[in-house]
Amino acid sequence: IGKKIAELRKQKGYTLSELAEKTKISKSYLSNIERNLNKNPSLAIIKRIAKVLDVDLMTLLKNETNHNTNQYVEKEWADF
């Protein structure tokens, strides 16, 4: 998820500091998410990031590196 967030942030032209400020997440915490040091951010955090990046939650959650395999997203996540 971190790599996807970093890609989208750069596409939107935001610096790490700008995204941190807009999402009200500390810069260090956001950096840890982007570098996959924190691999399990809360759903509330992911939703805030998605909102600021103007993407839906599934865009952040889906894994685009494995197009040929069936990806399963838990129903609880998909319902959000």
Side-chain angles (χ1 to χ4, degrees), residues 19-68:
L19 184 58
E21 183 179 323
K22 290 177 182 294
T23 56
K24 296 182 179 19
I25 299 169
S26 76
K27 183 178 173 181
S28 62
Y29 186 66
L30 185 56
S31 175
N32 286 344
I33 292 171
E34 285 193 1
R35 294 180 294 138
N36 288 318
L37 298 178
N38 181 339
K39 295 182 181 189
N40 294 311
S42 72
L43 188 54
I45 295 291
I46 295 170
K47 286 172 70 173
R48 288 180 4 207
I49 294 168
K51 183 177 180 179
V52 170
L53 294 176
D54 194 29
V55 296
D56 63 36
L57 193 58
M58 291 307 295
T59 299
L60 292 182
L61 296 177
K62 69 182 176 182
N63 181 353
E64 293 186 18
T65 58
N66 296 322
H67 292 291
N68 296 328

Side-chain angles (χ1 to χ4, degrees), residues 5-30:
I5 290 169
E7 279 177 25
L8 290 168
R9 174 179 60 77
K10 291 172 187 173
Q11 285 176 7
K12 298 286 182 178
Y14 293 139
T15 65
L16 188 65
S17 296
E18 289 170 331
L19 184 58
E21 183 179 323
K22 290 177 182 294
T23 56
K24 296 182 179 19
I25 299 169
S26 76
K27 183 178 173 181
S28 62
Y29 186 66
L30 185 56

